[in-house]
Short mmCIF file of all heavy atoms in Angstrom, two decimals:
data_model
loop_
_atom_site.label_atom_id
_atom_site.label_comp_id
_atom_site.label_asym_id
_atom_site.label_seq_id
_atom_site.Cartn_x
_atom_site.Cartn_y
_atom_site.Cartn_z
N ILE A 22 8.78 9.37 -10.00
CA ILE A 22 7.66 8.50 -10.19
C ILE A 22 6.51 9.24 -10.87
O ILE A 22 5.73 8.60 -11.63
CB ILE A 22 7.22 7.85 -8.86
CG1 ILE A 22 6.23 6.72 -9.12
CG2 ILE A 22 6.60 8.89 -7.92
CD1 ILE A 22 5.93 5.90 -7.89
N GLY A 23 6.38 10.53 -10.61
CA GLY A 23 5.32 11.31 -11.19
C GLY A 23 4.04 11.22 -10.36
O GLY A 23 3.33 10.23 -10.41
N ASN A 24 3.77 12.22 -9.57
CA ASN A 24 2.60 12.20 -8.65
C ASN A 24 1.31 12.05 -9.46
O ASN A 24 0.40 11.30 -9.06
CB ASN A 24 2.56 13.46 -7.81
CG ASN A 24 3.26 13.31 -6.49
OD1 ASN A 24 3.59 12.20 -6.08
ND2 ASN A 24 3.49 14.41 -5.79
N SER A 25 1.15 12.77 -10.51
CA SER A 25 -0.09 12.73 -11.30
C SER A 25 -0.25 11.33 -11.92
O SER A 25 -1.38 10.82 -11.98
CB SER A 25 -0.07 13.75 -12.46
OG SER A 25 -0.03 15.06 -11.90
N ARG A 26 0.84 10.72 -12.35
CA ARG A 26 0.79 9.38 -12.89
C ARG A 26 0.28 8.36 -11.85
O ARG A 26 -0.58 7.54 -12.12
CB ARG A 26 2.18 8.98 -13.36
CG ARG A 26 2.35 7.51 -13.78
CD ARG A 26 3.76 7.25 -14.27
NE ARG A 26 4.08 5.84 -14.35
CZ ARG A 26 5.04 5.26 -13.65
NH1 ARG A 26 5.83 5.94 -12.85
NH2 ARG A 26 5.26 3.95 -13.80
N VAL A 27 0.79 8.49 -10.61
CA VAL A 27 0.35 7.58 -9.54
C VAL A 27 -1.12 7.84 -9.22
O VAL A 27 -1.90 6.91 -9.08
CB VAL A 27 1.21 7.77 -8.28
CG1 VAL A 27 0.69 6.91 -7.14
CG2 VAL A 27 2.69 7.44 -8.58
N ARG A 28 -1.49 9.08 -9.10
CA ARG A 28 -2.88 9.42 -8.75
C ARG A 28 -3.83 8.90 -9.81
O ARG A 28 -4.87 8.28 -9.49
CB ARG A 28 -3.04 10.94 -8.57
CG ARG A 28 -4.46 11.38 -8.17
CD ARG A 28 -4.59 12.87 -8.13
NE ARG A 28 -3.83 13.43 -7.03
CZ ARG A 28 -2.70 14.12 -7.19
NH1 ARG A 28 -2.20 14.32 -8.42
NH2 ARG A 28 -2.07 14.63 -6.15
N ASP A 29 -3.56 9.20 -11.06
CA ASP A 29 -4.42 8.76 -12.17
C ASP A 29 -4.56 7.23 -12.20
O ASP A 29 -5.63 6.70 -12.41
CB ASP A 29 -3.93 9.28 -13.50
CG ASP A 29 -4.03 10.79 -13.59
OD1 ASP A 29 -4.71 11.41 -12.77
OD2 ASP A 29 -3.38 11.35 -14.52
N SER A 30 -3.43 6.57 -12.00
CA SER A 30 -3.44 5.10 -12.02
C SER A 30 -4.27 4.54 -10.87
O SER A 30 -5.01 3.57 -11.01
CB SER A 30 -2.00 4.57 -11.95
OG SER A 30 -1.97 3.16 -11.98
N LEU A 31 -4.12 5.16 -9.68
CA LEU A 31 -4.87 4.71 -8.50
C LEU A 31 -6.35 4.89 -8.72
O LEU A 31 -7.18 3.99 -8.37
CB LEU A 31 -4.42 5.49 -7.27
CG LEU A 31 -3.19 4.99 -6.55
CD1 LEU A 31 -2.76 6.01 -5.50
CD2 LEU A 31 -3.39 3.63 -5.90
N MET A 32 -6.73 6.03 -9.27
CA MET A 32 -8.15 6.26 -9.50
C MET A 32 -8.75 5.29 -10.49
O MET A 32 -9.87 4.80 -10.35
CB MET A 32 -8.38 7.70 -9.98
CG MET A 32 -8.04 8.76 -8.91
SD MET A 32 -9.02 8.50 -7.39
CE MET A 32 -8.48 9.92 -6.43
N ALA A 33 -7.99 4.97 -11.53
CA ALA A 33 -8.47 4.00 -12.53
C ALA A 33 -8.62 2.61 -11.92
O ALA A 33 -9.58 1.90 -12.18
CB ALA A 33 -7.51 3.98 -13.75
N TYR A 34 -7.63 2.24 -11.09
CA TYR A 34 -7.71 0.95 -10.42
C TYR A 34 -8.89 0.89 -9.47
O TYR A 34 -9.60 -0.11 -9.40
CB TYR A 34 -6.41 0.73 -9.62
CG TYR A 34 -6.47 -0.45 -8.71
CD1 TYR A 34 -6.44 -1.77 -9.22
CD2 TYR A 34 -6.62 -0.25 -7.32
CE1 TYR A 34 -6.55 -2.87 -8.34
CE2 TYR A 34 -6.68 -1.37 -6.45
CZ TYR A 34 -6.66 -2.68 -6.97
OH TYR A 34 -6.75 -3.77 -6.13
N ALA A 35 -9.11 2.00 -8.71
CA ALA A 35 -10.24 2.03 -7.74
C ALA A 35 -11.55 1.83 -8.48
O ALA A 35 -12.43 1.11 -8.00
CB ALA A 35 -10.24 3.34 -7.01
N LYS A 36 -11.67 2.42 -9.63
CA LYS A 36 -12.94 2.31 -10.41
C LYS A 36 -13.15 0.89 -10.90
O LYS A 36 -14.24 0.34 -10.88
CB LYS A 36 -12.92 3.28 -11.58
CG LYS A 36 -14.27 3.52 -12.23
CD LYS A 36 -14.26 4.70 -13.13
CE LYS A 36 -15.67 4.99 -13.65
NZ LYS A 36 -15.70 6.22 -14.48
N ARG A 37 -12.03 0.27 -11.31
CA ARG A 37 -12.09 -1.13 -11.79
C ARG A 37 -12.40 -2.13 -10.65
O ARG A 37 -13.26 -2.96 -10.75
CB ARG A 37 -10.79 -1.57 -12.49
CG ARG A 37 -10.51 -0.88 -13.76
CD ARG A 37 -9.41 -1.61 -14.55
NE ARG A 37 -8.21 -1.85 -13.73
CZ ARG A 37 -7.17 -0.99 -13.62
NH1 ARG A 37 -7.24 0.19 -14.28
NH2 ARG A 37 -6.12 -1.28 -12.90
N GLU A 38 -11.67 -1.94 -9.56
CA GLU A 38 -11.71 -2.95 -8.48
C GLU A 38 -12.88 -2.70 -7.49
O GLU A 38 -13.46 -3.66 -7.01
CB GLU A 38 -10.39 -2.89 -7.70
CG GLU A 38 -10.26 -3.93 -6.60
CD GLU A 38 -10.21 -5.36 -7.14
OE1 GLU A 38 -9.74 -5.55 -8.29
OE2 GLU A 38 -10.61 -6.28 -6.41
N PHE A 39 -13.17 -1.42 -7.24
CA PHE A 39 -14.21 -1.13 -6.22
C PHE A 39 -15.39 -0.39 -6.80
O PHE A 39 -16.25 0.13 -6.05
CB PHE A 39 -13.56 -0.31 -5.13
CG PHE A 39 -12.35 -0.95 -4.51
CD1 PHE A 39 -11.08 -0.43 -4.76
CD2 PHE A 39 -12.45 -2.10 -3.71
CE1 PHE A 39 -9.95 -1.01 -4.22
CE2 PHE A 39 -11.35 -2.69 -3.16
CZ PHE A 39 -10.05 -2.13 -3.41
N SER A 40 -15.42 -0.25 -8.14
CA SER A 40 -16.57 0.36 -8.85
C SER A 40 -16.70 1.86 -8.62
O SER A 40 -17.69 2.45 -9.04
CB SER A 40 -17.91 -0.34 -8.46
OG SER A 40 -17.81 -1.72 -8.73
N SER A 41 -15.74 2.49 -7.96
CA SER A 41 -15.84 3.93 -7.76
C SER A 41 -14.50 4.50 -7.33
O SER A 41 -13.78 3.90 -6.52
CB SER A 41 -16.88 4.23 -6.67
OG SER A 41 -16.92 5.60 -6.40
N GLU A 42 -14.18 5.68 -7.84
CA GLU A 42 -13.03 6.43 -7.41
C GLU A 42 -13.21 6.98 -5.99
O GLU A 42 -12.24 7.38 -5.33
CB GLU A 42 -12.73 7.58 -8.36
CG GLU A 42 -12.38 7.18 -9.76
CD GLU A 42 -12.18 8.37 -10.65
OE1 GLU A 42 -12.41 9.52 -10.19
OE2 GLU A 42 -11.77 8.20 -11.84
N GLU A 43 -14.44 7.03 -5.52
CA GLU A 43 -14.79 7.64 -4.23
C GLU A 43 -14.10 6.96 -3.09
O GLU A 43 -13.93 7.58 -2.02
CB GLU A 43 -16.32 7.59 -4.05
CG GLU A 43 -16.81 8.42 -2.92
CD GLU A 43 -18.32 8.33 -2.77
OE1 GLU A 43 -18.99 7.81 -3.66
OE2 GLU A 43 -18.83 8.83 -1.70
N ILE A 44 -13.63 5.70 -3.28
CA ILE A 44 -12.99 5.00 -2.18
C ILE A 44 -11.68 5.66 -1.76
O ILE A 44 -11.22 5.50 -0.61
CB ILE A 44 -12.79 3.52 -2.59
CG1 ILE A 44 -12.46 2.67 -1.33
CG2 ILE A 44 -11.66 3.37 -3.59
CD1 ILE A 44 -12.48 1.17 -1.61
N ILE A 45 -11.06 6.39 -2.66
CA ILE A 45 -9.83 7.15 -2.35
C ILE A 45 -10.22 8.60 -2.07
O ILE A 45 -10.62 9.33 -2.99
CB ILE A 45 -8.80 7.04 -3.48
CG1 ILE A 45 -8.38 5.60 -3.63
CG2 ILE A 45 -7.56 7.95 -3.18
CD1 ILE A 45 -7.39 5.35 -4.77
N GLU A 46 -10.07 8.98 -0.83
CA GLU A 46 -10.50 10.35 -0.42
C GLU A 46 -9.44 11.40 -0.71
O GLU A 46 -9.74 12.52 -1.10
CB GLU A 46 -10.82 10.33 1.09
CG GLU A 46 -11.34 11.63 1.63
CD GLU A 46 -11.90 11.49 3.01
OE1 GLU A 46 -12.89 10.75 3.21
OE2 GLU A 46 -11.28 12.06 3.96
N ASN A 47 -8.16 11.00 -0.54
CA ASN A 47 -7.09 11.95 -0.77
C ASN A 47 -5.79 11.19 -1.05
O ASN A 47 -5.54 10.09 -0.52
CB ASN A 47 -6.91 12.86 0.45
CG ASN A 47 -5.75 13.84 0.29
OD1 ASN A 47 -4.62 13.60 0.69
ND2 ASN A 47 -6.07 14.98 -0.35
N PHE A 48 -4.97 11.79 -1.88
CA PHE A 48 -3.62 11.27 -2.18
C PHE A 48 -2.63 12.39 -2.05
O PHE A 48 -2.69 13.39 -2.81
CB PHE A 48 -3.55 10.65 -3.55
CG PHE A 48 -2.17 10.31 -4.02
CD1 PHE A 48 -1.44 9.29 -3.39
CD2 PHE A 48 -1.57 11.02 -5.06
CE1 PHE A 48 -0.17 9.02 -3.79
CE2 PHE A 48 -0.29 10.70 -5.49
CZ PHE A 48 0.44 9.72 -4.84
N SER A 49 -1.78 12.37 -1.03
CA SER A 49 -0.80 13.45 -0.81
C SER A 49 0.33 12.93 0.03
O SER A 49 0.19 12.01 0.86
CB SER A 49 -1.46 14.65 -0.14
OG SER A 49 -2.07 14.29 1.07
N ASN A 50 1.51 13.55 -0.14
CA ASN A 50 2.70 13.19 0.69
C ASN A 50 2.99 11.69 0.68
O ASN A 50 3.37 11.11 1.69
CB ASN A 50 2.52 13.69 2.12
CG ASN A 50 2.51 15.21 2.19
OD1 ASN A 50 3.14 15.91 1.39
ND2 ASN A 50 1.80 15.75 3.21
N ARG A 51 2.81 11.07 -0.48
CA ARG A 51 3.04 9.63 -0.62
C ARG A 51 2.18 8.80 0.29
O ARG A 51 2.60 7.72 0.77
CB ARG A 51 4.54 9.30 -0.48
CG ARG A 51 5.42 9.93 -1.52
CD ARG A 51 6.83 9.30 -1.60
NE ARG A 51 7.61 9.52 -0.39
CZ ARG A 51 8.41 10.58 -0.24
NH1 ARG A 51 8.50 11.48 -1.17
NH2 ARG A 51 9.13 10.70 0.85
N GLN A 52 1.00 9.26 0.56
CA GLN A 52 0.02 8.57 1.40
C GLN A 52 -1.36 8.54 0.74
O GLN A 52 -1.75 9.50 0.07
CB GLN A 52 -0.07 9.16 2.80
CG GLN A 52 1.22 9.09 3.61
CD GLN A 52 1.05 9.57 5.01
OE1 GLN A 52 -0.05 9.77 5.51
NE2 GLN A 52 2.17 9.80 5.70
N ILE A 53 -2.05 7.46 0.96
CA ILE A 53 -3.40 7.27 0.41
C ILE A 53 -4.39 7.27 1.58
O ILE A 53 -4.26 6.43 2.49
CB ILE A 53 -3.50 6.00 -0.41
CG1 ILE A 53 -2.54 6.06 -1.59
CG2 ILE A 53 -4.94 5.79 -0.92
CD1 ILE A 53 -2.23 4.71 -2.22
N PHE A 54 -5.34 8.18 1.54
CA PHE A 54 -6.37 8.27 2.58
C PHE A 54 -7.66 7.65 2.03
O PHE A 54 -8.17 8.08 1.01
CB PHE A 54 -6.61 9.72 2.93
CG PHE A 54 -5.46 10.43 3.58
CD1 PHE A 54 -4.39 10.87 2.79
CD2 PHE A 54 -5.43 10.65 4.95
CE1 PHE A 54 -3.33 11.51 3.39
CE2 PHE A 54 -4.36 11.31 5.53
CZ PHE A 54 -3.29 11.74 4.77
N LEU A 55 -8.10 6.62 2.67
CA LEU A 55 -9.30 5.93 2.23
C LEU A 55 -10.56 6.62 2.76
O LEU A 55 -10.59 7.17 3.86
CB LEU A 55 -9.29 4.49 2.69
CG LEU A 55 -8.15 3.61 2.14
CD1 LEU A 55 -8.19 2.24 2.72
CD2 LEU A 55 -8.19 3.57 0.60
N ASN A 56 -11.64 6.51 2.00
CA ASN A 56 -12.94 7.07 2.37
C ASN A 56 -13.66 6.04 3.21
O ASN A 56 -14.26 5.09 2.69
CB ASN A 56 -13.71 7.44 1.10
CG ASN A 56 -15.02 8.13 1.43
OD1 ASN A 56 -15.60 7.97 2.48
ND2 ASN A 56 -15.46 8.99 0.49
N ARG A 57 -13.60 6.22 4.52
CA ARG A 57 -14.19 5.22 5.42
C ARG A 57 -15.74 5.19 5.34
O ARG A 57 -16.32 4.11 5.54
CB ARG A 57 -13.74 5.50 6.86
CG ARG A 57 -12.25 5.24 7.01
CD ARG A 57 -11.65 5.68 8.33
NE ARG A 57 -10.23 5.33 8.34
CZ ARG A 57 -9.78 4.17 8.82
NH1 ARG A 57 -10.61 3.28 9.30
NH2 ARG A 57 -8.47 3.91 8.82
N GLU A 58 -16.33 6.31 5.04
CA GLU A 58 -17.79 6.32 4.90
C GLU A 58 -18.20 5.44 3.70
O GLU A 58 -19.18 4.69 3.81
CB GLU A 58 -18.30 7.73 4.71
CG GLU A 58 -18.12 8.61 5.97
CD GLU A 58 -18.57 10.05 5.72
OE1 GLU A 58 -19.07 10.34 4.61
OE2 GLU A 58 -18.40 10.88 6.64
N PHE A 59 -17.49 5.59 2.60
CA PHE A 59 -17.77 4.79 1.42
C PHE A 59 -17.57 3.33 1.71
O PHE A 59 -18.41 2.47 1.33
CB PHE A 59 -16.90 5.25 0.28
CG PHE A 59 -17.04 4.42 -0.99
CD1 PHE A 59 -17.99 4.72 -1.93
CD2 PHE A 59 -16.20 3.32 -1.23
CE1 PHE A 59 -18.18 3.94 -3.10
CE2 PHE A 59 -16.33 2.56 -2.37
CZ PHE A 59 -17.30 2.85 -3.29
N ILE A 60 -16.41 2.99 2.36
CA ILE A 60 -16.13 1.62 2.66
C ILE A 60 -17.18 0.97 3.52
O ILE A 60 -17.63 -0.16 3.34
CB ILE A 60 -14.75 1.51 3.29
CG1 ILE A 60 -13.66 1.82 2.25
CG2 ILE A 60 -14.49 0.12 3.92
CD1 ILE A 60 -12.27 1.96 2.79
N SER A 61 -17.65 1.71 4.53
CA SER A 61 -18.69 1.24 5.43
C SER A 61 -20.03 1.06 4.72
O SER A 61 -20.73 0.05 4.86
CB SER A 61 -18.86 2.21 6.61
OG SER A 61 -19.89 1.80 7.46
N ARG A 62 -20.34 2.02 3.86
CA ARG A 62 -21.59 1.99 3.12
C ARG A 62 -21.65 0.82 2.18
O ARG A 62 -22.71 0.21 2.01
CB ARG A 62 -21.77 3.33 2.39
CG ARG A 62 -23.11 3.52 1.69
CD ARG A 62 -23.26 4.92 1.15
NE ARG A 62 -22.38 5.17 0.03
CZ ARG A 62 -21.47 6.11 0.03
NH1 ARG A 62 -21.29 6.87 1.08
NH2 ARG A 62 -20.72 6.34 -1.05
N GLU A 63 -20.50 0.52 1.56
CA GLU A 63 -20.46 -0.58 0.59
C GLU A 63 -20.22 -1.92 1.25
O GLU A 63 -20.16 -2.97 0.54
CB GLU A 63 -19.31 -0.28 -0.45
CG GLU A 63 -19.58 0.94 -1.26
CD GLU A 63 -20.81 0.85 -2.13
OE1 GLU A 63 -21.07 -0.23 -2.74
OE2 GLU A 63 -21.58 1.84 -2.21
N GLY A 64 -20.00 -1.96 2.58
CA GLY A 64 -19.80 -3.15 3.27
C GLY A 64 -18.45 -3.84 2.96
O GLY A 64 -18.31 -5.08 3.01
N LEU A 65 -17.45 -3.03 2.66
CA LEU A 65 -16.11 -3.57 2.32
C LEU A 65 -15.27 -3.80 3.61
O LEU A 65 -15.48 -3.15 4.63
CB LEU A 65 -15.40 -2.62 1.41
CG LEU A 65 -16.07 -2.36 0.06
CD1 LEU A 65 -15.37 -1.23 -0.71
CD2 LEU A 65 -16.14 -3.63 -0.79
N ASP A 66 -14.30 -4.67 3.50
CA ASP A 66 -13.36 -4.95 4.58
C ASP A 66 -12.18 -4.01 4.37
O ASP A 66 -11.41 -4.12 3.40
CB ASP A 66 -12.91 -6.42 4.49
CG ASP A 66 -11.91 -6.76 5.60
OD1 ASP A 66 -11.30 -5.85 6.19
OD2 ASP A 66 -11.71 -7.99 5.83
N ILE A 67 -11.99 -3.06 5.30
CA ILE A 67 -10.96 -2.01 5.09
C ILE A 67 -9.57 -2.62 5.09
O ILE A 67 -8.69 -2.14 4.37
CB ILE A 67 -11.10 -0.91 6.18
CG1 ILE A 67 -10.22 0.31 5.78
CG2 ILE A 67 -10.75 -1.44 7.55
CD1 ILE A 67 -10.47 1.55 6.56
#
């Protein structure tokens, strides 16, 4: 699948959908870790 391809695509999607890549804190071991501080600050539904 290409890890870099997935990461780059996720970051681009995060910027389009949530206005910031900051919402994704980490991507590793086929898991996505969300930035809970960012989500709380922006008032998003996790």
